[in-house]
Amino acid sequence: MAGGGGGAAECREHLFKVLVIGELGVGKTSIIKRYVHQLFSQHYRATIGVDFALKVLHWDSKTLVRLQLWDIAGQERFGNMTRVYYKEAVGAFVVFDVTRGSTFEAVSKWKHDLDSKVLLPNGSPIPAVLLANKCDQKKDNGQTPSQMDQFCREGGFVGWFETSAKDNINIDEAARFLVENILANYRSFPNEDNDVSKLKLDPDPLKAESKSQCC
């Protein structure tokens, strides 16, 4: 039995807080639901306040990753988010709707807001992945893939994906890509990050009952 105990000791568990931000109605909640629960709901309801969902990934034989996905919706109309939502986040998805060009124009504002409120322990921005959502529908932005690559380089995004919560396109791939970036950062400064996963995130700022609903 001792061998089993040794295996358990080697298994590493991480708790990562990931933000999902972007303009109202771009599909943030749908992306989270699709990723966490494998559902797509046609009914759109503006999210009020903050919601979060938990996704557990058996990353490899030695690594368990718990992703806490924070849907910071309903606050968009106030422009600036309060820092508590950003606190301790280690990664983010910035989402826009390919059928509405105005939501793409707002991406830089969201990225700037993110970078001004949360940083990695070494002072650099947290990894952010840009999601061009609703790619199953007719596009309203004339960005070519090479223009998007350039936009991400200049804007400080680690990458971008065309996604569709409706048709389940690239959601898992985008999340895997973001987690890879988060884990790479984790290995650069494991000590600070350990504090984030074990100490600060456990006493959750949200009420216990909202936690039980999402599990």
Side-chain angles (χ1 to χ4, degrees):
M1 293 299 99
E10 286 160 29
C11 182
R12 306 197 59 156
E13 285 194 25
H14 303 294
L15 177 60
F16 293 141
K17 175 176 174 178
V18 171
L19 309 176
V20 185
I21 58 180
E23 293 295 278
L24 200 60
V26 294
K28 299 185 295 294
T29 307
S30 297
I31 286 170
I32 292 174
K33 279 191 174 148
R34 166 65 79 184
Y35 181 54
V36 175
H37 308 295
Q38 293 304 310
L39 299 169
F40 176 77
S41 166
Q42 201 75 55
H43 306 296
Y44 170 68
R45 178 183 61 78
T47 312
I48 306 303
V50 177
D51 209 359
F52 75 80
L54 198 65
K55 173 84 167 181
V56 179
L57 298 173
H58 296 276
W59 191 254
D60 56 35
S61 58
K62 293 195 177 68
T63 318
L64 184 80
V65 172
R66 285 190 171 85
L67 275 193
Q68 213 181 58
L69 293 149
W70 286 55
D71 182 4
I72 315 180
Q75 302 290 325
E76 290 94 339
R77 30 180 195 282
F78 308 123
N80 255 355
M81 314 293 262
T82 41
R83 280 174 194 273
V84 65
Y85 300 141
Y86 283 89
K87 205 172 180 325
E88 315 299 355
V90 292
F93 290 115
V94 181
V95 188
F96 73 97
D97 174 351
V98 298
T99 70
R100 290 188 292 141
S102 60
T103 64
F104 177 68
E105 287 158 26
V107 161
S108 299
K109 175 197 79 173
W110 283 104
K111 181 70 165 72
H112 178 75
D113 204 36
L114 179 71
D115 294 345
S116 69
K117 293 198 171 79
V118 62
L119 293 168
L120 292 173
N122 67 357
S124 59
I126 66 171
V129 173
L130 181 61
L131 301 184
N133 195 37
K134 306 190 188 178
C135 69
D136 55 288
Q137 298 178 36
K138 191 174 180 301
K139 291 188 175 64
D140 176 40
N141 75 315
Q143 300 287 323
T144 65
S146 61
Q147 284 173 317
M148 287 293 287
D149 290 343
Q150 187 180 349
F151 177 83
C152 285
R153 273 196 304 275
E154 290 170 359
F157 289 92
V158 291
W160 68 281
F161 289 81
E162 283 195 331
T163 57
S164 166
K166 183 168 181 275
D167 293 347
N168 199 11
I169 298 168
N170 273 344
I171 308 270
D172 286 354
E173 291 81 352
R176 191 162 184 87
F177 179 73
L178 182 60
V179 172
E180 277 166 6
N181 277 274
I182 293 171
L183 284 168
N185 286 330
Y186 181 91
R187 288 189 262 277
S188 316
F189 26 76
N191 295 346
E192 293 93 332
D193 230 302
N194 241 356
D195 296 343
V196 170
S197 16
K198 296 290 174 291
L199 305 177
K200 296 177 194 146
L201 265 183
D202 271 342
D204 214 284
L206 293 179
K207 302 282 179 290
E209 56 266 23
S210 65
K211 199 162 197 171
S212 61
Q213 282 167 5
C214 69
C215 293

